[in-house]
Amino acid sequence: MTIGFIGAGTMAGAIVRGVTAAGVVPGGDVLLYDVNESAAQRLADDVGATVADSAEAVVAGSDVVVLAVKPQVLPAVLGDLASAVVERRPVLVSIAAGITLAALDALLRGGDVPVVRVMPNVNAMIGAGMAALCGNEAAGEADVARVEEIFAAVGGTVVLAEKDFATYTAIAGSSPAFVFTFIDALARGAVRDGMPKALATRIAAQAVLGSARMVLERADDGVSPADLVDMVCSPGGTTIAGIVAMEEAGFTPAVVRGVRAVVDRDRELAD
């Protein structure tokens, strides 16, 4: 399998480093193109990839082509490449937020190209991301599985109906910012009681990391996050006092409202 990337920015770099480090493909089977030639060359030098002299050359030489460009420029980029993509018929991957499979198919002018829409999140930069995948009618199970293998190199993956992508955006795409805010709030609470901010942040971040691992590892045993809350809360103890105080301040409703706001805004942008 040869993989081509049109765009060599931060997310493309994370994916390229992930797939080559995991052995999904060797660096020599990765083609890169970016209008910023130096960005493409730096990434190529890091992993042993090849820099193509045009986006069309990436399409011509790749089994899978990842469009790693910003949503606002993707229509122009794909419009220019439509003929080359239809002729070559690689598996085309878009990681542009808000651009639906129907919109991608329309840009390809009905060329019956297998297209997989993927929404990774920022944590892919450290190999701990979460990515949702959805293929169009031309994308078979093998095509989607091939793309899933690529994104599994930088974290978890889930094949999801496109109708659920707005909700996914809230709980995986936007939620890292929510979690960063929570960690910072925990640290500020500690600062109020005299602990240095940097130390408090490190302690809080490790606690959140371990808590997330606990949820994932105990899920197979049928243990829910609510069960884990009960495990930590002793009757009349300190933790339940903190939980009650946060709930009285609207903690859970605030989180649910945040999710709802992301979903509503995502759907507005897609219209």
Side-chain angles (χ1 to χ4, degrees):
M1 175 171 63
T2 53
I3 308 175
F5 288 80
I6 297 173
T10 301
M11 187 59 70
I15 300 165
V16 169
R17 292 183 178 93
V19 296
T20 53
V24 176
V25 292
D29 287 340
V30 175
L31 276 175
L32 304 171
Y33 174 76
D34 195 294
V35 291
N36 182 343
E37 294 181 16
S38 61
Q41 192 62 59
R42 284 194 301 271
L43 180 56
D45 291 343
D46 283 348
V47 300
T50 300
V51 176
D53 58 9
S54 67
E56 289 81 3
V58 170
V59 172
S62 303
D63 300 314
V64 177
V65 174
V66 180
L67 296 172
V69 298
K70 295 185 183 300
Q72 58 267 33
V73 302
L74 185 143
V77 170
L78 186 52
D80 290 343
L81 290 174
S83 296
V85 171
V86 170
E87 180 179 351
R88 176 73 168 88
R89 293 194 80 254
V91 178
L92 188 68
V93 178
S94 168
I95 63 172
I99 299 184
T100 64
L101 289 171
L104 294 165
D105 285 339
L107 289 166
L108 292 168
R109 306 180 190 108
D112 195 36
V113 173
V115 178
V116 180
R117 181 183 174 191
V118 181
M119 293 192 65
N121 73 4
V122 68
N123 297 332
M125 293 171 60
I126 60 166
M130 185 67 215
L133 298 84
C134 182
N136 67 355
E137 291 187 3
E141 289 185 10
D143 297 321
V144 175
R146 178 182 280 188
V147 177
E148 192 168 12
E149 182 183 16
I150 292 169
F151 285 86
V154 289
T157 63
V158 61
V159 177
L160 202 62
E162 192 174 28
K163 68 179 180 61
D164 293 324
F165 266 44
T167 304
Y168 166 87
T169 297
I171 64 172
S174 299
S175 67
F178 301 167
V179 176
F180 300 152
T181 301
F182 176 58
I183 291 170
D184 190 63
L186 288 174
R188 288 180 186 279
V191 170
R192 181 180 182 275
D193 283 331
M195 184 178 287
K197 180 71 178 293
L199 176 61
T201 299
R202 183 163 65 86
I203 293 169
Q206 180 61 41
V208 170
L209 175 63
S211 300
R213 285 187 58 188
M214 179 80 82
V215 170
L216 293 174
E217 292 182 10
R218 296 301 300 274
D220 290 341
D221 300 327
V223 178
S224 72
D227 294 328
L228 294 172
V229 171
D230 292 342
M231 183 189 304
V232 181
C233 291
S234 302
T238 56
T239 304
I240 190 61
I243 290 285
V244 169
M246 286 192 292
E247 290 298 344
E248 287 176 344
F251 182 76
T252 296
V255 174
V256 173
R257 287 180 64 182
V259 170
R260 182 75 257 168
V262 173
V263 171
D264 290 344
R265 183 57 178 155
D266 185 85
R267 289 174 177 164
E268 287 174 6
L269 293 172
D271 289 340

